[in-house]
Amino acid sequence: QVRLVESGGGSVQSGGSLRLSCVASGYIGGTYCMGWLRQAPGKEREGVAAIDDDGHTSYADSVKGRFTISQDSAKNTLYLQMNSLEPEDTAMYYCAAHPCVDSTLLIRLLVSSGGRGQGTQVTVSS
């Protein structure tokens, strides 16, 4: 069973940046791929970014060009660099894991069936 622990959330003004981190444990290398989800109050959970085992990435249209997903496999750590933050990015952000598939499918499967951590809150004020 994969255990995921997120960190790095906080409160920033519009235009600011944050970097989220997620440390995975109980991880069987090469079996799981990871990504980031978010959920704002009153809204459905949304896939934000995903990275597959070939290093290919996929992003939600709303964050393309502003967010970057990356990973350090040696540290079992996933990152999400978030730049040019907007109030609409305010949400609880979750790290999620799923058996590896192509990133374009992974970003959807993470939402529907991925295991996830407890989340880290991101609040962007205008």
Side-chain angles (χ1 to χ4, degrees):
Q1 184 174 355
V2 178
R3 181 171 180 262
L4 306 169
V5 179
E6 303 96 335
S7 62
S11 297
V12 296
Q13 291 191 326
S14 182
S17 298
L18 285 172
R19 188 193 195 203
L20 306 184
S21 298
C22 171
V23 178
S25 59
Y27 175 85
I28 302 175
T31 300
Y32 287 94
C33 286
M34 298 169 68
W36 292 95
L37 315 175
R38 68 185 180 186
Q39 188 164 20
K43 294 188 177 181
E44 293 186 354
R45 193 174 303 161
E46 174 188 24
V48 175
I51 184 166
D52 65 27
D53 51 356
D54 289 325
H56 298 134
T57 57
S58 289
Y59 297 92
D61 287 342
S62 58
V63 307
K64 283 180 181 177
R66 300 188 298 121
F67 290 11
T68 303
I69 188 172
S70 62
Q71 63 186 4
D72 184 337
S73 298
K75 297 181 180 179
N76 284 346
T77 302
L78 183 74
Y79 303 100
L80 185 68
Q81 178 66 44
M82 305 187 295
N83 298 328
S84 302
L85 282 162
E86 303 168 351
E88 292 74 22
D89 296 316
T90 294
M92 185 72 79
Y93 283 71
Y94 300 93
C95 174
H98 187 278
C100 289
V101 294
D102 180 84
S103 66
T104 56
L105 178 60
L106 179 64
I107 196 170
R108 298 199 299 270
L109 291 176
L110 288 171
V111 176
S112 61
S113 58
R116 59 182 174 90
Q118 295 299 307
T120 185
Q121 178 67 38
V122 172
T123 303
V124 185
S125 57
S126 57

